[in-house]
């Protein structure tokens, strides 16, 4: 792979930088830079700005209103957006549900739901995990029973990220309990304003309200909201998960966070010298930089495969594992670089935690970020499960 950008890609990079400098609201960028929580209005505002430019649905085909960017263009955006303190694009409708509807949805579903994702009419969340079905997702028990032209849904979903903002949720539900687990699951679109849907907040270790429980009690869902075929939802779920995991590497965010760590380490002294000159600390930083370069290269290769119509499985698992390890290592380096500035942690003193490391005199969120990002090796399929997938495919000769 040629790691140098082409002349056309360099032009795109310059265009993107100009756009970020002129269109990214300063107050939103400052929130991201300081590691403060973004509210719903902030995220919707940034989505609308990107959509007006035609750059919101970066991985969608133009036929569906997307930008149809190449893998390299998406990589460039990832890096530049993080460097300019742009918010992450909320992925649930755009990067997860959108590709599923485009591949498996009916024409009516595509015509109805895809424009509503783009213009912000619908905010989607993901209904996969349950208290007894996390990484072992196929053991889910939330059930949907056919009753005429509706399904009646009962059960629970958990760890529903940003569900407090959502009006729609795409769910995996059990529609046949008499067959093998994977063969009795369906993919259902549920309006969260339907009677019987209840959202309960889960407050995390860093004090923020990021995830939720969602309960369904006799919730009636039109049969027209079934994606694809009944009991074929596991196929669609696996397709979605590969798209989710290729996005979990977080190359741009990790690069921006590491750059901030290095700024901290230059400002903080250790034995009369900048911390970055400490051999042990410098060696850890160098190892992260080496691993990040390798991951960025792998990310381009894997996303290129997806763009060509593939749905990478083993490679996505590898990227998810390595990306989460690197981001947690950067969080640990930030905590060490901030030193005593990172010690005082009170959840009410910080407004959430993003992946940007503040300066020493503004290091309040460092501890919150460290604690919050312990989740990275769990969600999207735990790293232990992903290593099992890698081992199984490798031992069977599939890689």
């Amino acid at each position: 792979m040629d790691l140098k950008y082409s002349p056309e890609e360099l032009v795109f990079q310059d265009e993107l930088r100009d756009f970020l400098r002129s269109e990214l609201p300063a107050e939103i960028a400052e929130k991201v830079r300081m590691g403060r929580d973004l509210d719903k209005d902030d995220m919707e505002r940034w989505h609308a700005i990107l959509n007006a430019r035609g750059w919101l649905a970066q991985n969608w085909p133009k036929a569906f209103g997307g930008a149809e960017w190449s893998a390299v263009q998406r990589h460039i955006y990832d890096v530049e957006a993080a460097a300019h303190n742009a918010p992450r694009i909320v992925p649930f409708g755009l990067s997860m549900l959108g590709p599923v509807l485009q591949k498996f949805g009916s024409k009516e579903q595509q015509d109805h739901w895809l424009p509503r994702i783009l213009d912000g009419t619908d905010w989607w969340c993901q209904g996969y995990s349950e208290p007894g079905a996390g990484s072992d997702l196929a053991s889910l028990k939330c059930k949907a029973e056919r009753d005429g032209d509706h399904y009646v849904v009962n059960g629970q979903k958990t760890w529903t990220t940003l569900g407090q903002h959502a009006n729609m949720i795409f769910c995996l539900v059990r529609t046949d309990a008499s067959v093998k687990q994977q063969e009795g699951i369906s993919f259902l679109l549920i309006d969260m304003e339907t009677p019987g849907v209840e959202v309960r907040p889960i407050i995390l270790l860093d004090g923020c309200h990021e995830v939720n429980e969602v309960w369904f009690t006799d919730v009636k869902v039109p049969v027209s909201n079934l994606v694809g075929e009944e009991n074929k939802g596991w196929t669609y779920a696996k397709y979605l998960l590969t798209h989710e995991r290729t996005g979990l590497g977080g190359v741009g965010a990790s690069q921006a966070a590491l750059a901030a760590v290095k700024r901290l380490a230059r400002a903080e002294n250790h034995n009369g010298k900048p911390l970055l000159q400490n051999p042990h600390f410098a060696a850890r930083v160098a190892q992260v930089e080496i691993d990040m370069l390798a991951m960025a290269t792998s990310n381009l290769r894997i996303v290129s495969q997806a763009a060509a119509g593939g749905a990478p499985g083993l490679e996505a698992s590898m990227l998810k594992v390595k990306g989460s390890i690197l981001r947690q290592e950067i969080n640990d380096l930030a905590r060490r670089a901030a030193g005593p500035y990172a010690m005082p942690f009170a959840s009410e003193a910080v407004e959430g935690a993003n992946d940007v490391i503040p300066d020493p005199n503004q290091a309040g969120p460092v501890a919150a970020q460290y604690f919050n990002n312990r989740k990275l090796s769990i969600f999207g399929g735990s790293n232990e499960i992903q290593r099992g997938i890698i081992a199984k495919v490798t031992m069977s000769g599939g890689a």
Side-chain angles (χ1 to χ4, degrees):
M1 178 182 289
D2 185 357
L3 295 180
K4 296 181 180 178
Y5 293 144
S6 69
E8 294 78 15
E9 289 161 352
L10 290 172
V11 169
F12 171 76
Q13 184 182 50
D14 287 339
E15 182 183 6
L16 180 56
R17 287 172 173 171
D18 289 342
F19 171 81
L20 289 166
R21 283 192 289 262
S22 62
E23 299 297 329
L24 175 61
E27 60 273 22
I28 293 179
E30 180 65 6
K31 277 188 174 182
V32 174
R33 187 185 74 83
M34 293 292 293
R36 296 198 178 104
D37 219 7
L38 298 176
D39 58 33
K40 184 181 181 182
D41 289 342
D42 293 329
M43 291 179 274
E44 289 184 325
R45 183 181 176 191
W46 180 233
H47 280 205
I49 291 170
L50 286 171
N51 191 44
R53 183 64 177 79
W55 286 355
L56 180 59
Q58 300 167 0
N59 61 326
W60 290 18
K62 290 181 179 178
F64 291 114
E68 206 170 311
W69 280 354
S70 69
V72 176
Q73 285 177 306
R74 278 178 273 161
H75 175 78
I76 291 172
Y77 176 87
D78 185 30
V79 172
E80 294 299 332
H84 286 79
N85 300 312
R88 74 180 185 119
I89 296 174
V90 180
F92 306 109
L94 289 158
S95 300
M96 298 181 189
L97 177 62
V100 170
L101 290 177
Q102 290 161 25
K103 188 171 181 66
F104 302 107
S106 67
K107 179 68 163 55
E108 292 76 16
Q109 289 172 337
Q110 293 170 355
D111 290 345
H112 179 74
W113 297 114
L114 294 178
R116 294 168 65 93
I117 293 173
L118 289 177
D119 66 17
T121 299
D122 294 322
W123 181 303
W124 289 88
C125 60
Q126 181 182 27
Y128 271 29
S129 294
E130 299 179 10
S135 295
D136 183 18
L137 185 58
S139 65
L140 65 90
K141 292 180 172 57
C142 182
K143 65 180 180 179
E145 298 176 306
R146 181 74 178 262
D147 182 14
D149 58 357
H150 285 80
Y151 287 100
V152 179
V153 180
N154 284 278
Q156 178 189 0
K157 297 294 178 179
T158 194
W159 309 124
T160 309
T161 303
L162 301 181
Q164 71 270 28
H165 300 322
N167 67 304
M168 296 294 302
I169 182 170
F170 55 88
C171 279
L172 294 181
V173 292
R174 176 77 53 198
T175 43
D176 190 343
S178 66
V179 296
K180 181 181 176 182
Q181 286 183 333
Q182 289 86 345
E183 295 174 359
I185 294 172
S186 297
F187 195 106
L188 207 57
L189 312 178
I190 302 176
D191 186 336
M192 296 186 72
E193 296 178 2
T194 307
V197 179
E198 181 184 1
V199 179
R200 302 178 188 174
I202 298 174
I203 305 303
L204 299 181
L205 183 62
D206 64 351
C208 74
H209 176 196
E210 181 182 7
V211 295
N212 306 270
E213 298 174 307
V214 181
W215 293 80
F216 304 96
T217 305
D218 295 330
V219 176
K220 296 182 68 175
V221 181
V223 170
S224 59
N225 283 19
L226 173 72
V227 176
E229 300 178 46
E230 187 173 281
N231 298 326
K232 299 295 184 182
W234 189 246
T235 298
Y236 317 144
K238 290 190 296 181
Y239 181 80
L240 183 150
L241 285 171
T242 58
H243 280 270
E244 178 184 7
R245 287 170 188 156
T246 54
L248 292 179
V251 174
S254 294
Q255 289 177 341
L258 182 61
V261 167
K262 292 168 74 173
R263 289 196 297 271
L264 272 174
R266 291 189 189 100
E268 289 300 295
N269 286 331
H270 178 74
N271 292 333
K273 296 181 179 180
L275 178 61
L276 197 57
Q277 295 181 18
N278 175 274
H280 177 67
F281 190 88
R284 288 185 63 180
V285 170
Q287 186 61 58
V288 168
E289 290 183 308
I290 292 168
D291 290 346
M292 195 178 300
L293 177 59
M295 187 180 70
T297 305
S298 296
N299 185 72
L300 285 172
R301 176 173 56 83
I302 293 167
V303 176
S304 295
Q305 292 174 357
L314 172 65
E315 298 88 350
S317 294
M318 295 169 62
L319 191 64
K320 192 273 176 181
V321 171
K322 193 61 179 179
S324 59
I325 291 173
L326 277 175
R327 291 169 76 181
Q328 289 175 343
E329 172 70 359
I330 293 169
N331 285 141
D332 188 50
L333 286 171
R335 183 176 60 87
R336 293 175 182 274
Y341 296 107
M343 290 178 62
F345 167 56
S347 60
E348 64 272 14
V350 295
E351 300 176 17
N354 290 307
D355 288 323
V356 179
I357 310 302
D359 296 326
N361 63 342
Q362 300 166 335
V366 167
Q369 292 162 8
Y370 176 84
F371 288 125
N372 183 279
N373 280 342
R374 305 319 295 170
K375 70 188 178 189
L376 296 177
S377 49
I378 300 173
F379 71 63
S382 72
N383 283 7
E384 290 78 10
I385 294 293
Q386 302 312 314
R387 290 188 177 101
I389 293 171
I390 294 167
K392 181 178 180 179
V393 174
T394 302
M395 292 177 67
S396 67

